Amino acid sequence: MVNPDRHLVLVLVTFPDETAAASVARTLLEERLVACVNVLPAIRSLYRWDGAVQDEAEHLAILKGTSDGLERLSARIVELHPYDTPEVVAVDPAFVDPRYAAWALAATEAPGDADR
């Protein structure tokens, strides 16, 4: 059965390097937890950790997932990620082109789900 509240969300995740980001992205794509992942190189992250301000080079991944799959997606990211406490921040976009949204939602359905 189709969930009428199911919509596209963006999930932001930082990684220590491009290899880790690509590895996690491929797994999430293969498992249909996301439709697309963009990996942005060479961002600079400043944050407080273990009582000190950190200044690190990281890679940002922008994942396109679904509202109804966020819990599974977050749990899988935490499981696969090299950090003990990875950043997993979901953003609900105000607008998504309907054609892109339809493609992304279809890309995250298990084969045969559209028929149910």
Side-chain angles (χ1 to χ4, degrees):
M1 181 173 210
V2 176
N3 178 352
D5 296 324
R6 184 175 192 255
H7 60 275
L8 186 70
V9 294
L10 302 178
V11 179
L12 309 176
V13 183
T14 52
F15 288 90
D17 55 54
E18 187 175 7
T19 301
S23 175
V24 171
R26 282 190 181 89
T27 299
L28 298 174
L29 285 161
E30 288 169 3
E31 295 176 1
R32 294 183 177 263
L33 293 173
V34 296
C36 176
V37 179
N38 304 110
V39 178
L40 285 68
I43 65 166
R44 183 176 178 187
S45 295
L46 292 95
Y47 55 95
R48 181 170 296 282
W49 186 257
D50 287 336
V53 173
Q54 308 295 320
D55 189 340
E56 302 288 337
E58 291 186 299
H59 285 66
L60 175 65
I62 304 171
L63 294 72
K64 284 74 166 204
T66 63
S67 55
D68 62 341
L70 274 176
E71 287 185 29
R72 285 181 38 234
L73 176 57
S74 178
R76 195 66 171 122
I77 292 168
V78 169
E79 182 180 329
L80 296 169
H81 204 287
Y83 293 165
D84 291 336
T85 307
E87 170 188 7
V88 181
V89 177
V91 179
D92 217 344
F95 175 80
V96 178
D97 179 85
R99 294 163 296 195
Y100 185 83
W103 166 80
L105 294 174
T108 57
E109 292 177 348
D113 276 359
D115 301 331
R116 293 186 188 144

